[in-house]
Amino acid sequence: MKRALPVLVLSIAGLIPLWRYAPSNGTTTTTEVAAPASTPSSPSSSTSSSSSSSSPSSSASSSAAASQVVQGSTVNTSKGAVQVEVTFEGDKISSVRMLQQPNHPQTTAAVPKLIQETLQAQSADIDAVSGATITSDGYVTSLQAALDAKE
């Protein structure tokens, strides 16, 4: 009888996290993070120097033409679908946007970290975020598909 009460209390304490667990509902949301401007003074100085020339619009159109947006494949994970969209400025990744992601707290917290690592690494060779390993793996797979589609 002395053991019954602690066993009962500890069993209930162990079951509380199971009762409170809320699995993801499979819906998706989108998130976008752009690369920080590396030299904000450079475009303004080149624009001011080219404003005296006769073709400032041609330089703007050539920089717009260098921008390319590529979608990665949709990766179905156990938490939900993951798909990224990558914007390239020349060969550099300038921004990454999540087109589809699981609506899950760990995913919501992990996506900005994954995007920031992608912008720093400029490749799909990034570390998974602890607590969101499944989403991280789906992100890397979709990101690699977008990088492969660009080439």
Side-chain angles (χ1 to χ4, degrees):
M1 187 64 183
K2 290 181 182 181
R3 294 182 193 174
L5 187 59
V7 168
L8 180 64
V9 169
L10 291 174
S11 296
I12 292 172
L15 291 174
I16 288 174
L18 283 174
W19 292 328
R20 295 183 45 92
Y21 177 72
S24 62
N25 57 7
T27 61
T28 59
T29 58
T30 61
T31 303
E32 178 178 7
V33 175
S38 57
T39 55
S41 60
S42 296
S44 63
S45 64
S46 66
T47 305
S48 63
S49 65
S50 66
S51 63
S52 61
S53 67
S54 62
S55 62
S57 62
S58 65
S59 64
S61 64
S62 65
S63 65
S67 179
Q68 181 182 9
V69 178
V70 179
Q71 291 183 359
S73 60
T74 301
V75 179
N76 292 316
T77 67
S78 60
K79 300 290 184 184
V82 176
Q83 184 181 21
V84 300
E85 178 182 82
V86 182
T87 304
F88 295 94
E89 297 292 333
D91 287 336
K92 184 179 178 200
I93 299 173
S94 62
S95 72
V96 178
R97 186 174 79 141
M98 292 290 285
L99 297 177
Q100 297 181 46
Q101 74 183 44
N103 188 11
H104 198 269
Q106 286 90 350
T107 299
T108 304
V111 167
K113 295 174 186 175
L114 291 168
I115 292 173
Q116 186 62 32
E117 279 195 41
T118 301
L119 295 174
Q120 288 175 351
Q122 291 293 307
S123 72
D125 187 22
I126 59 173
D127 293 330
V129 175
S130 178
T133 308
I134 294 169
T135 301
S136 297
D137 291 343
Y139 174 89
V140 168
T141 303
S142 183
L143 178 63
Q144 186 62 54
L147 295 174
D148 292 344
K150 192 233 184 243
E151 295 174 353

